[in-house]
Amino acid sequence: MKKIVRGGTLVNADSIGPADVLIDGERIAAVGHIDDVAEAEVIDARGCFVLPGLIDNHTHMSMPFQGTWTADDYDSGTRAAAAGGVTCIVDFAIQREPGGLQSSLDEWQGRARGAAHVDYGFHMAITSADEATLADMARLTEQGVTSFKLFMAYKGELMITDDLLLSALEHGRELGALVMVHAENGDVIDKLVRDALGRGETAAINHALTRPEQVEAEATSRAARLAHLAGASLFVVHVSCDAAAREIARWQAAGAAVSAETCIQYLFNSIDDLRRPGAEAARYVCSPPLRDRSQQERLWSALRRGVLESVSTDHCPFTDEQKARGAADFSRIPNGMATIQHRLVKLWDAGVGDGRISPCELVALTSTNVARRFGLERKGAIAPGKDADIAILDPREPFAFSTATSHMNVDYDVYAGETASASVRQTLCRGTTVFDRGQILTDPGHGRFVARAAVNHGTPATPGEEA
Ligand code: URP
Ligand code: ZN
Ligand code: ZN
């Protein structure tokens, strides 16, 4: 089956201009002026921007966490993804028990298979330090799971120790796999939380007050230093503040192979959201926490300078009922925000509309850089041979954020009441229209597992070299 996306403005990370796109089956066949092709379906993109499908490399579908499960499964979560122009996610599988990683990967594969509407890959989160676990990094890399996350926080649940982090970095270096870190000092947070609760400070705002910026900056610096020591690649997830971004810049300047992302909530939300009345504040509890509004412009600056190379969502949805677990104790509020659907239109307005980034930079930050960093070789650009993953953005059709327009499986929308100037009109994943003007057209199972290449090779180890 052939399709032509006709008459739009094609935006890649390195170019922008009028161009048609010819799709043959699941791949892009040609880009430029395309003559009519017999029996090809024509998708009219006049007046629209035609972008590579967004990739969200930081999502948590059907994840057991903090005594409950995230509210989106692979069906609902990837519906919402498609409604936001996302054609591929890289989700976090979590090691469930010591003694290896394979059974946890099988569990996550089982949940996603036959359910997803867009393509998906997995990172594996390592939570145990035994030999079998580290040996399984090679086994998973061979299966296309080429990145591993370690949590330096969530003491007593997911948190690892520095010796395991160093071992994982060493294995990652040998395998060409990427080690990712949630960089916050979990021991210090644990103390600050106990202190706050001891003083009777139980409201949601205390989540942010017990996880100050220094706690994130310290862990970021420690992880980068260990990566440099190991000569390994490191990716720091969900950077929330300038103090952490400055640590990353410092180690990048010293030659460490450190890269990093931020997430949309750190660009659009702030600690003030945690002061909202009643149960509403809990919707904004995520880790690292939302920061002072002044941090937002600094994060934009770090993105423009390349210190941060991508913007994901860290979609980790919980309903109001789930969030209410922490009504009397902020430390029991499940951490995470529901945002997977909104990245493109939010970044379009605040990024492109307000002149902070160009349309090409937006594509780089949400698709091209992500594909390159995470070994998604057939994704991240609209070019012959690539998967026909396309987001069509209509700048003339506003999008009203509300629970009625949200496909996410939570009973609120954190941007409800706001309107974006543009909306996602269609989303194509491997040539199939998944989303069209508000409707999901695919059955669960259109999305396929993507085995990713191992593309991360660290720098030669230079023990003793300082940033
Ligand atoms: O609050 C967050 N970020 N929840 C998801 C788990 C994580 O730390 O990425
Ligand atoms: Zn995290
Ligand atoms: Zn996360």
Side-chain angles (χ1 to χ4, degrees), residues 58 60 92 149 238 314:
H58 193 150
H60 301 278
F92 286 97
K149 179 177 178 184
H238 50 41
D314 192 5

Side-chain angles (χ1 to χ4, degrees), residues 12-13 28 52-53 55 363 367-368 371 378-383 386-387 389:
N12 270 317
I28 292 165
I55 303 167
V363 166
S367 185
T368 312
R378 290 218 302 270
K379 302 195 183 285
I382 297 180
K386 296 279 188 187
D387 283 348
D389 289 355

Side-chain angles (χ1 to χ4, degrees), residues 310-357:
S310 51
V311 183
S312 70
T313 62
D314 192 5
H315 179 69
C316 191
F318 297 103
T319 62
D320 275 344
E321 190 185 340
Q322 290 175 297
K323 291 276 189 181
R325 297 162 64 92
D329 172 355
F330 70 90
S331 71
R332 299 195 63 231
I333 302 171
N335 290 195
M337 287 181 64
T339 50
I340 195 169
Q341 191 178 330
H342 299 329
R343 189 169 43 139
L344 176 51
V345 295
K346 290 293 284 184
L347 289 176
W348 185 261
D349 278 348
V352 177
D354 292 347
R356 292 185 175 93
I357 53 172

